[in-house]
Amino acid sequence: MTDSVVLDPVDLHLLRLLQNDARTTYRDLAAQVGVAPSTCLDRVTRLRRSGVILGHRLELDPAKLGRGLEALLSVQVRPHRRELVGPFVERIRALPESRTVFHLTGPDDYLVHVAVADMADLQRLVLDEFTAHREVARVETRLIFQQWECGPLLPPVSSAQSP
């Protein structure tokens, strides 16, 4: 586990703004935060180098790409051993339907978020790409009706900082 980075209120404001729109220019960021553009650039560069900012992403609408049905697949792998886990994860990550893969504790080993064209495509995916492999003991499917993004991820407020 990596050490957390100390962030001041200006850093937190920059992160909040960038999470809401990563394409915001340094000039606009600086104006909104109240610092010079060069200071803004230095701070964002420091946040990237320290690993707080990991990258930028382009978000696509799965439905507009012909993948209007999304589901969560709970998967048990048996036996749950390292020599099976690595290849399983890489195979699942390589599937064009896979959006996110989580390695879990508890009765299920993985939770896989997938986007498919329709129910027949979901059935094909589960039968041909998951349960067809010997190490997959069980797959449980949950359809996603709707999803919402939540607010920016910021460090927790310590008791010393709270009013």
Side-chain angles (χ1 to χ4, degrees):
M1 193 158 131
T2 60
D3 294 327
S4 61
V5 175
V6 177
L7 303 170
D8 66 16
V10 172
D11 293 331
L12 294 173
H13 196 178
L14 285 169
L15 292 171
R16 197 174 282 113
L17 292 168
L18 286 169
Q19 283 188 92
N20 290 326
D21 184 0
R23 296 180 306 162
T24 306
T25 65
Y26 289 116
R27 180 175 298 158
D28 289 342
L29 284 172
Q32 291 181 61
V33 175
V35 297
S38 60
T39 301
C40 182
L41 174 62
D42 290 344
R43 283 179 173 262
V44 172
T45 300
R46 181 180 51 79
L47 291 167
R48 280 193 184 107
R49 285 190 182 140
S50 66
V52 173
I53 297 175
L54 298 176
H56 305 279
R57 294 189 182 164
L58 178 66
E59 192 173 339
L60 304 175
D61 182 343
K64 299 228 190 281
L65 297 173
R67 296 183 185 276
L69 180 65
E70 294 186 67
L72 297 173
L73 307 179
S74 299
V75 183
Q76 278 186 352
V77 174
R78 295 293 178 259
H80 193 188
R81 292 195 317 247
R82 188 172 299 280
E83 62 267 15
L84 294 175
V85 166
F88 170 80
V89 170
E90 291 311 309
R91 186 176 72 249
I92 298 310
R93 288 184 67 210
L95 296 172
E97 297 88 354
S98 294
R99 308 274 323 258
T100 311
V101 180
F102 299 95
H103 192 186
L104 309 171
T105 63
D108 297 315
D109 300 312
Y110 296 94
L111 184 65
V112 184
H113 177 191
V114 298
V116 294
D118 53 30
M119 287 297 275
D121 196 26
L122 180 59
Q123 182 181 27
R124 176 207 52 80
L125 180 70
V126 169
L127 294 175
D128 295 347
E129 301 297 342
F130 285 84
T131 60
H133 296 274
R134 271 186 282 155
E135 71 272 16
V136 175
R138 185 180 67 80
V139 175
E140 189 173 304
T141 304
R142 292 175 178 84
L143 297 180
I144 298 173
F145 290 136
Q146 194 169 3
Q147 67 185 44
W148 296 267
E149 292 294 323
C150 297
L153 175 67
L154 295 174
V157 177
S158 71
S159 57
Q161 294 173 316
S162 59

